Amino acid sequence: MAKMWAGRFKKEVDEKVNDFNSSISFDARMYRQDITGSIAHATMLGKTGIIELSESQALVEGLKGILEDIEQGKLEFDPTAEDIHMFVEAELTKRLGDTGKRLHTSRSRNDQVALDFKMYLKDEIIEIRGMVAELVETLYTLAEQHLDTIMPGYTHLQRAQPVTFAHHLMAYVQMFLRDIGRLNDCYKRMDTMPLGSCALAATTYPIDRDMVTELLGFQSPTENSLDGVSDRDYCIELTSDISLLMTHLSRFSEEIILWCSWEFKFIELDDAYATGSSIMPQKKNPDITELIRGKTGRVNGDLTTLLTMMKGLPLAYNKDMQEDKEATFDAIDTVKLCISTFIPMIRTMKVLKENMRHAAAKGFINATDCADYLVKKGLPFRDAYKITGELVAICIDQNKTLETLELSTYQSVCETFEQDVYQAIDLLTCVNGRNTKGGPSSKSVSVQIANAKQTLKTLMEGK
Ligand code: ARG
């Protein structure tokens, strides 16, 4: 494809340099935004009298025709075009002749690329947000079925205190709700329209930026032309939000990997969401979750790429910034792939309640409740804590649990113990006694679920 700047140059650009410079292989995915942005620009040029109204109309029709042809597969992207912006403009000129050459009046690719990228990312945010919302719904629906499914809660991966599977799931719901909130915030900050910044110093033409802003559904025009073309905060912020979202998915994945192991066996993945081994016939591997854990590193890499690419750039546009797209697109594609695989995996997995309960019965996870029992009978907590520690040591010696230890042994350590200690350390009592706000009791978790539904609704109404 002939270069737009051929007038200034005496030679054709070297073929390798052309390939090196070109971004069409990855920015062609913004064709719809590029054309829609150009339609708004052409409309504005006509309405302000910068170009003839008839020419503006011809440009709009021509652009619509290109869009239609691309969507119907009638027009292929030219791999030798430098980028999607050049490709569309050249195609328009091919179709309209001199009129096509008027489209780029009072515009630069610098503000054009910022516009296209923001439009593209705004749409992606809405899509990702919808997927996270579906995940949240999946999780609280599952939680509703497990309000009384007791499992050990852990610290340091050591059994600590009893919780329920519902409570555990709702912890992730909180993380994902915050992720949606962050995506909303990112959207709001991204919602400024850069066209009119031109190359860097705006323009002497009497353009109407408010009109373009409204036509394209942005909140407001960007305030400063230098910032308008050199800001990449929006893609960094989005990739950072995605990194955090991936981190949550990755922690969840790590737990599922553990829960699938024979050492835990808290869940069994559906055959459709697990894989076998090429040599070990017995194997059923949680590859999906391992890949999500692995891909989180990849998305963190994308974020590092963007931050590092930007950190030394003087104002305004520099070609380094073309590197923003592949990293951001990769983060978006990866998180969407991960969530869309994760949701059906969660929906189809079998929860092995009995094994969770069995694990909860071991590990003295009711020891805190045993100490609290003595506190309720008047002992200071530190004394009660020490006494319970002695009882745990006796249990370990005698291969017993706090539930199976004789009352006489309890009483030999502390006379305050009575028959009702067994009721106090019953796991269901322990869980349902924790019914303060945010606690694991079935009542508290029911409130958490109701609140989560409301929060999700509010978040999805806001942009
Ligand atoms: N393909 C370029 C990018 O993605 C478009 C902007 C080019 N601007 C320029 N002055 N060379 O950043």
Side-chain angles (χ1 to χ4, degrees), residues 1-18:
M1 192 165 144
K3 290 279 173 263
M4 305 265 178
W5 54 77
R8 164 75 174 75
F9 286 62
K10 295 201 175 63
K11 273 188 187 172
E12 293 265 307
V13 72
D14 179 270
E15 205 180 309
K16 273 215 174 69
V17 172
N18 200 40

Side-chain angles (χ1 to χ4, degrees), residues 5 21-24 26-27 30 82-86 108-114 199 232 317-325:
W5 54 77
N21 212 22
S22 167
S23 56
I24 194 155
F26 51 85
D27 65 21
M30 303 193 302
E82 191 181 318
D83 53 31
I84 186 64
H85 326 295
M86 292 287 211
S108 155
R109 275 185 302 156
N110 298 351
D111 56 350
Q112 190 180 355
V113 73
R232 289 295 181 274
Y317 178 83
N318 301 270
K319 190 79 176 208
D320 315 44
M321 287 152 84
Q322 180 166 284
E323 294 289 312
D324 58 2
K325 275 161 234 69

Side-chain angles (χ1 to χ4, degrees), residues 138-154 161-173 252 255-256 259 266-268 346 349-353 356-357 360 431 440-442 445 448-449:
T138 305
L139 294 177
Y140 64 57
T141 305
L142 187 60
E144 280 169 333
Q145 298 155 29
H146 290 282
L147 290 169
D148 292 313
T149 303
I150 291 180
M151 67 180 276
Y154 297 82
Q161 290 178 341
V163 294
T164 63
F165 188 51
H167 192 53
H168 202 107
L169 291 171
M170 290 309 289
Y172 282 103
V173 163
F252 204 164
E255 297 210 282
I256 289 172
W259 293 345
F266 287 181
I267 58 156
E268 165 109 35
I346 294 282
M349 74 187 187
K350 209 153 95 199
V351 180
L352 304 173
K353 288 162 75 157
M356 288 185 178
R357 172 81 202 203
V431 166
S441 77
S442 65
V445 177
Q448 287 179 42
I449 294 174

Side-chain angles (χ1 to χ4, degrees), residues 372-432:
D372 288 342
Y373 166 88
L374 291 175
V375 171
K376 281 175 198 148
K377 300 234 169 191
L379 265 73
F381 179 75
R382 271 290 158 246
D383 293 340
Y385 168 92
K386 183 163 171 280
I387 290 163
T388 309
E390 284 170 35
L391 287 168
V392 169
I394 293 171
C395 286
I396 292 169
D397 267 357
Q398 300 183 1
N399 200 18
K400 287 198 165 134
T401 65
L402 287 170
E403 289 92 326
T404 56
L405 195 68
E406 284 95 13
L407 185 59
S408 55
T409 318
Y410 271 103
Q411 289 169 338
S412 69
V413 178
C414 174
E415 284 168 0
T416 312
F417 281 113
E418 291 173 87
Q419 184 63 36
D420 59 353
V421 67
Y422 295 106
Q423 171 61 25
I425 60 165
D426 177 78
L427 291 180
L428 202 56
T429 316
C430 300
V431 166
N432 285 331

